[in-house]
Amino acid sequence: MDNLIILSFPVIFIFNLIHISSASVVSTGNFNKDFFVTWSPNHVNTSADGRERSLKLDQESGTGFASNDMFLFGQIDMPIKLVPGYSAGTVVAFYLTSDQPNHDEIDLEFLGNVSGQPYILQTNVFADGFDNREERIYLWFDPTKDFHTYSILWNLHQIVFMVDFVPIRTYRNYADKGVPYPRWQPMSIKISLWDGNTWATRGGKDKIHWSKGPFTTSFRNYKIDACVWKGNARSCRGESSTNWWHKERFSSLSWTQRRWFKWVRKYHLIYDYCQDNKRFQNNLPKECSLPKY
């Protein structure tokens, strides 16, 4: 584990060098200005300067908040410190959603655990109302001890899920091959902490112990670098210095990113829908046979 941490620093430095454009940054870094509370405001605690926010789950309720704006393509980086200790049955969700009948959605869901067990991060993609695209990994560190950055890069070419800027999953735009891809509907950012007792931990076998609550998770120093939806898809779909995410170098993973992507897949992937022949009755989705980068 120590060797992994040492090796990670130059890689993260390289990723940060790549992500240098700031022309399109629309966030203020202030939760009070960029987001509104969607439910249970008494379960939300925000620092005086608006830069840090925590959510609480107890027997009364969970809670959540959402962005004031909607976006079509870009990158969102959200530092999160997850629920510490015994967190079985809890779910922390960070996702983009269009909230339409045939909606698009890009999900990161952190599934609580029994103390001492690794945290599971589940990702999913909805495109044109279709989902069943779950993947799960074990995080290779304790995400409750400090803040780690979880990112979504979404452009015309691909969706990349990242943990501390290490790519853990891609979902490529194969719309020309009949694979649904989120590319027309703007999406808002949503964050929530809620009761997933029936399924979150070992399929619902490990339940929430309310005596160990309340359960809290924290967020801070986020960055929204995305195209704000103003009713015109053309302005968000075009390549420009502002819409840096559509540039050719972001159309696939870099050589360094591919190395780390393979490492995550080899050592930390625990479920991939593309390997679940039983679920799909030996008729896996079309993208499963296509390159991931």
Side-chain angles (χ1 to χ4, degrees):
M1 184 65 73
D2 291 340
N3 290 337
L4 168 63
I5 293 172
I6 293 171
L7 288 170
S8 297
F9 284 121
V11 177
I12 293 172
F13 179 68
I14 290 170
F15 289 166
N16 284 335
L17 280 181
I18 290 172
H19 187 180
I20 58 175
S21 172
S22 61
S24 55
V25 176
V26 298
S27 69
T28 64
N30 188 324
F31 285 100
N32 290 328
K33 291 184 178 179
D34 290 335
F35 295 90
F36 66 96
V37 176
T38 52
W39 51 299
S40 295
N42 62 333
H43 284 59
V44 178
N45 184 45
T46 307
S47 62
D49 62 3
R51 301 288 168 174
E52 186 165 342
R53 172 167 286 180
S54 63
L55 303 183
K56 179 178 71 173
L57 167 68
D58 57 23
Q59 281 184 283
E60 177 189 333
S61 179
T63 189
F65 58 95
S67 60
N68 294 321
D69 291 317
M70 300 190 78
F71 309 95
L72 187 62
F73 305 117
Q75 181 165 321
I76 296 92
D77 305 323
M78 183 65 66
I80 306 173
K81 183 160 67 173
L82 295 174
V83 178
Y86 185 100
S87 57
T90 68
V91 179
V92 176
F94 160 44
Y95 61 108
L96 304 177
T97 182
S98 66
D99 290 333
Q100 301 295 324
N102 292 326
H103 82 291
D104 295 334
E105 192 168 300
I106 303 171
D107 292 344
L108 292 96
E109 293 179 306
F110 303 88
L111 311 183
N113 62 348
V114 175
S115 300
Q117 298 298 312
Y119 237 100
I120 291 175
L121 168 55
Q122 175 172 286
T123 58
N124 197 5
V125 175
F126 290 69
D128 298 332
F130 295 97
D131 65 334
N132 296 327
R133 301 296 194 267
E134 298 95 341
E135 292 187 6
R136 291 184 176 186
I137 66 165
Y138 281 136
L139 293 173
W140 53 91
F141 51 84
D142 185 343
T144 72
K145 297 296 185 184
D146 203 351
F147 288 87
H148 291 265
T149 302
Y150 305 92
S151 305
I152 297 169
L153 169 65
W154 170 36
N155 61 33
L156 283 168
H157 314 288
Q158 62 177 348
I159 297 166
V160 184
F161 298 82
M162 292 176 279
V163 175
D164 289 332
F165 304 102
V166 172
I168 64 165
R169 177 182 181 177
T170 62
Y171 185 87
R172 295 195 58 75
N173 184 353
Y174 287 119
D176 60 337
K177 295 179 171 60
V179 177
Y181 185 83
R183 54 193 172 133
W184 295 107
Q185 301 185 72
M187 294 195 262
S188 60
I189 305 166
K190 292 192 175 182
I191 309 279
S192 58
L193 171 60
W194 47 281
D195 177 353
N197 232 345
T198 60
W199 67 278
T201 310
R202 291 203 310 133
K205 293 180 180 178
D206 294 321
K207 302 295 187 180
I208 292 179
H209 287 182
W210 295 112
S211 62
K212 298 181 182 294
F215 305 96
T216 60
T217 185
S218 301
F219 309 83
R220 71 179 185 190
N221 298 334
Y222 63 87
K223 185 177 183 180
I224 303 171
D225 198 350
C227 185
V228 178
W229 175 252
K230 297 184 183 298
N232 185 355
R234 183 175 299 177
S235 63
C236 290
R237 292 172 61 85
E239 181 181 314
S240 66
S241 58
T242 301
N243 297 350
W244 59 264
W245 44 82
H246 292 318
K247 291 183 179 295
E248 180 64 26
R249 59 178 169 162
F250 301 105
S251 64
S252 187
L253 298 182
S254 69
W255 180 82
T256 302
Q257 286 177 313
R258 293 178 189 189
R259 285 180 54 206
W260 284 90
F261 178 78
K262 290 176 181 177
W263 174 81
V264 171
R265 312 291 287 183
K266 182 175 181 179
Y267 294 106
H268 300 284
L269 182 70
I270 57 173
Y271 177 80
D272 179 357
Y273 73 99
C274 282
Q275 299 174 6
D276 197 341
N277 279 294
K278 182 178 180 181
R279 179 182 184 183
F280 292 98
Q281 300 178 335
N282 294 315
N283 186 25
L284 293 172
K286 187 178 293 186
E287 68 271 16
C288 293
S289 61
L290 298 170
K292 292 188 179 296
Y293 48 76

